[in-house]
Amino acid sequence: MATLILVRHGRSTANTAGLLAGWTPGVALDERGAEQAAALPGRLEGVPVAAAVTSPLQRCRETLAPLLAARPELELHTDERIGECHYGDWSGRKLSELADEPLMKIVQQHPSAAAFPGGESMRAMQARAVDAVRDWNARVEEEHGADAVFLMCSHGDIIKSLVADALGMHLDLFQRIHVDPCSVTAIRYTPTRPFVFRLGDTGDFGSLVPRAPSDKAAEDGGNAVVGGGAGAA
């Protein structure tokens, strides 16, 4: 079956503000995110992308804009199933405030049991994203052949849940996975099993540089950053 390239959107204004954006409208790429998006065509040069699919949210569309400009023949499709998790009442709130919510412990340690107030469960988030990938796998293979490559631009928690599915990991372990803004993850699907070829590849090691104490609040206690985090500076 086809090879899927998963691109997390570039760094957004919500990432740098420490907000959990969710489906909040008007969340755009910041200056760094725009630079990341501009570099994407060069990073994917030579990769024959047969189809591009995006979350409907603005930050994902802006991330793919330079790639589409470089490849005018590439048609863009939108699929709400790879849109951000519906965080409900948590949407737009500061992550530093959400850290004190009792639900955050469930999100971190037992996400398969987590459901956001006024939003969706993390199980439902993963299920819809996996369904989208399976459907697009079949469509791309039928239209372009078994060796085709297609691309999806989505969000941190969505991509992490798709990687967990590809690795045969329980959703309760998906917080162990990290994908930076505008990182590339590649999964080759076959009739018997998926193979993960790239995971959160940004082409640099900036995220491995020790951070200042003021930048480490979200990492205290070993917690994952819900929504994905802002990545390296």
Side-chain angles (χ1 to χ4, degrees), residues 67-147:
L67 180 65
L68 296 172
R71 303 191 188 197
E73 77 286 354
L74 188 59
E75 183 179 359
L76 182 64
H77 307 272
T78 301
D79 194 324
E80 291 195 356
R81 295 176 296 176
I82 61 168
E84 180 63 285
C85 184
H86 291 277
Y87 295 116
D89 297 344
W90 279 27
S91 298
R93 293 181 60 188
K94 283 191 170 293
L95 288 163
S96 58
E97 297 173 357
L98 292 171
D100 296 327
E101 293 280 353
L103 177 60
M104 182 60 84
K105 185 175 181 179
I106 308 301
V107 170
Q108 292 291 332
Q109 300 181 18
H110 191 20
S112 65
F116 295 98
E120 69 179 333
S121 69
M122 302 200 88
R123 287 182 294 107
M125 174 200 74
Q126 183 187 44
R128 62 174 166 87
V130 170
D131 283 347
V133 166
R134 300 297 181 184
D135 289 348
W136 279 101
N137 268 337
R139 176 174 173 176
V140 168
E141 182 175 6
E142 181 180 357
E143 295 179 1
H144 301 281
D147 293 326

Side-chain angles (χ1 to χ4, degrees), residues 3-188:
T3 296
L4 168 62
I5 296 175
L6 287 163
V7 177
R8 186 185 167 200
H9 63 78
R11 196 174 73 177
S12 73
T13 53
N15 293 145
T16 46
L19 301 176
L20 187 62
W23 285 70
T24 305
V27 176
L29 298 184
D30 67 5
E31 184 176 353
R32 173 61 178 152
E35 293 173 354
Q36 292 169 332
L40 191 59
R43 293 170 62 198
L44 295 178
E45 186 176 4
V47 179
V49 180
V53 187
T54 185
S55 156
L57 295 173
Q58 178 180 342
R59 53 197 182 273
C60 286
R61 290 183 169 276
E62 289 180 349
T63 298
L64 289 189
L67 180 65
L68 296 172
R71 303 191 188 197
E73 77 286 354
L74 188 59
E75 183 179 359
L76 182 64
H77 307 272
T78 301
D79 194 324
E80 291 195 356
R81 295 176 296 176
I82 61 168
E84 180 63 285
C85 184
H86 291 277
Y87 295 116
D89 297 344
W90 279 27
S91 298
R93 293 181 60 188
K94 283 191 170 293
L95 288 163
S96 58
E97 297 173 357
L98 292 171
D100 296 327
E101 293 280 353
L103 177 60
M104 182 60 84
K105 185 175 181 179
I106 308 301
V107 170
Q108 292 291 332
Q109 300 181 18
H110 191 20
S112 65
F116 295 98
E120 69 179 333
S121 69
M122 302 200 88
R123 287 182 294 107
M125 174 200 74
Q126 183 187 44
R128 62 174 166 87
V130 170
D131 283 347
V133 166
R134 300 297 181 184
D135 289 348
W136 279 101
N137 268 337
R139 176 174 173 176
V140 168
E141 182 175 6
E142 181 180 357
E143 295 179 1
H144 301 281
D147 293 326
V149 177
F150 72 106
L151 180 148
M152 284 183 162
C153 187
S154 189
H155 308 266
D157 282 348
I158 296 290
I159 294 173
K160 287 164 56 179
S161 72
L162 289 170
V163 171
D165 172 75
L167 293 174
M169 293 170 55
H170 197 282
L171 183 62
D172 285 343
L173 301 178
F174 100 126
Q175 297 289 26
R176 301 182 182 195
I177 299 167
H178 182 79
V179 289
D180 273 334
C182 222
S183 63
V184 172
T185 295
I187 304 172
R188 168 74 174 170

